[in-house]
Amino acid sequence: MNIFLKTEDEIELMRQANLLVGRTLGELAKHIRPGVTTGHLDKVAGEFIRDNGGEPTFKGFPNPFGAPFPANICTSVNEVVVHGIPSDAAVLNDGDIVSVDCGVLLDGFNGDSCYTFCVGEVSDDVRQLLKVTKESLYKGIEAAMAGHHVSDIGAAVQDYCQGFGYGVVRELTGHGIGRDMHEDPKVPNYGTRGRGVLLKSGMCLAIEPMVTMGDKAIGLLPDRWSIRTIDGKPAAHFEHTIAVRNGRADILSSFEEIERVEGKLN
């Protein structure tokens, strides 16, 4: 296992990459509504990232089968947990949810963040799933400080989500991040406190709860990228990139632009 501690200068470069991801997601928030295709969102994201000096890191990224990802972002609708492929044929409908996962390479460092959006009027039980999943992300971040363990992050996420009766996906994890999009260590969303890799100041992690309304079991769709719930119930996914500190973690990505568009900030 190779874990790279980042210098302060490197963390600041990572912050800029992650803030570009946040601005991209904020731009997409302006477009998400019934009748819009996920293919349109992909085009908007690719143009915005490149216009701001970055490169979409998901484009061309290979899966375990050797197939390159064909788009700039992942758009995962309803029961699709992660890695949904944007398409001009995939129209968002009133009541859908769509998680948009975005990665950017800027000045040699990677940013990675995800947000699950409501499309039009969404049912109260689905809104509750999104609320709890987002809150669990911050529970995990609170546990991500030097002297704690990677498993403390997952335990915080798992305990909170399972308290609401939700499933926590096991097969997919968060990860270290830096010059490469995926670095060591893996960051599961479940676990027993006090186990696994010891967290040190300067470690940068992408923490990303993936939570299901029903059973946690997942399966791979025929496109060999999209992963969905087996029971067909919706799933939510939120992600921040953080830098571990001796005290509270430093959140390098941002939801502020999204929340401003959604009317949650003045």
Side-chain angles (χ1 to χ4, degrees), residues 175-257:
H175 50 90
I177 184 171
R179 291 188 180 275
D180 291 326
M181 183 167 64
H182 292 148
E183 297 183 354
D184 290 330
K186 292 184 177 180
V187 185
N189 294 304
Y190 66 96
T192 301
R193 286 175 172 81
R195 296 183 180 177
V197 172
L198 181 69
L199 300 177
K200 298 180 180 180
S201 183
M203 291 173 65
C204 290
L205 307 174
I207 301 173
E208 48 181 320
M210 290 157 270
V211 179
T212 64
M213 184 173 284
D215 193 275
K216 64 180 181 294
I218 57 173
L220 185 67
L221 289 176
D223 66 19
R224 298 197 299 177
W225 273 105
S226 306
I227 295 174
R228 58 158 286 172
T229 58
I230 294 295
D231 62 14
K233 294 183 179 179
H237 179 202
F238 288 87
E239 177 183 18
H240 270 315
T241 293
I242 63 105
V244 175
R245 302 291 195 182
N246 289 319
R248 178 178 294 182
D250 185 0
I251 302 176
L252 305 179
S253 47
S254 174
F255 293 155
E256 286 189 9
E257 294 294 331

Side-chain angles (χ1 to χ4, degrees), residues 2-32:
N2 295 311
I3 297 175
F4 302 102
L5 302 183
K6 278 69 176 180
T7 66
E8 289 301 317
D9 287 344
E10 290 172 331
I11 288 172
E12 289 310 308
L13 288 170
M14 289 194 62
R15 192 188 311 279
Q16 294 309 309
N18 278 282
L19 290 177
L20 177 53
V21 174
R23 294 199 304 276
T24 303
L25 292 173
E27 182 65 23
L28 292 175
K30 301 173 186 176
H31 294 261
I32 293 175

Side-chain angles (χ1 to χ4, degrees), residues 80-255:
V80 178
V81 184
V82 290
H83 304 162
I85 300 173
S87 167
D88 290 334
V91 179
L92 296 175
N93 297 307
D94 189 56
D96 284 346
I97 56 172
V98 55
S99 68
V100 181
D101 197 352
C102 179
V104 163
L105 179 67
L106 181 69
D107 293 330
F109 285 88
N110 283 276
D112 191 7
S113 184
C114 181
Y115 195 92
T116 303
F117 296 87
C118 295
V119 182
E121 293 299 320
V122 173
S123 66
D124 289 343
D125 58 343
V126 172
R127 284 188 181 275
Q128 174 76 356
L129 172 67
L130 269 57
K131 177 175 182 289
V132 170
T133 304
K134 186 178 179 183
E135 289 170 347
S136 78
L137 170 60
Y138 291 99
K139 298 288 185 183
I141 291 171
E142 287 173 8
M145 63 178 69
H148 287 191
H149 292 260
V150 164
S151 63
D152 296 333
I153 300 170
V157 171
Q158 180 183 16
D159 291 350
Y160 190 70
C161 293
Q162 289 186 173
F164 290 85
Y166 297 141
V168 178
V169 172
R170 300 296 201 269
E171 295 87 346
L172 304 162
T173 71
H175 50 90
I177 184 171
R179 291 188 180 275
D180 291 326
M181 183 167 64
H182 292 148
E183 297 183 354
D184 290 330
K186 292 184 177 180
V187 185
N189 294 304
Y190 66 96
T192 301
R193 286 175 172 81
R195 296 183 180 177
V197 172
L198 181 69
L199 300 177
K200 298 180 180 180
S201 183
M203 291 173 65
C204 290
L205 307 174
I207 301 173
E208 48 181 320
M210 290 157 270
V211 179
T212 64
M213 184 173 284
D215 193 275
K216 64 180 181 294
I218 57 173
L220 185 67
L221 289 176
D223 66 19
R224 298 197 299 177
W225 273 105
S226 306
I227 295 174
R228 58 158 286 172
T229 58
I230 294 295
D231 62 14
K233 294 183 179 179
H237 179 202
F238 288 87
E239 177 183 18
H240 270 315
T241 293
I242 63 105
V244 175
R245 302 291 195 182
N246 289 319
R248 178 178 294 182
D250 185 0
I251 302 176
L252 305 179
S253 47
S254 174
F255 293 155

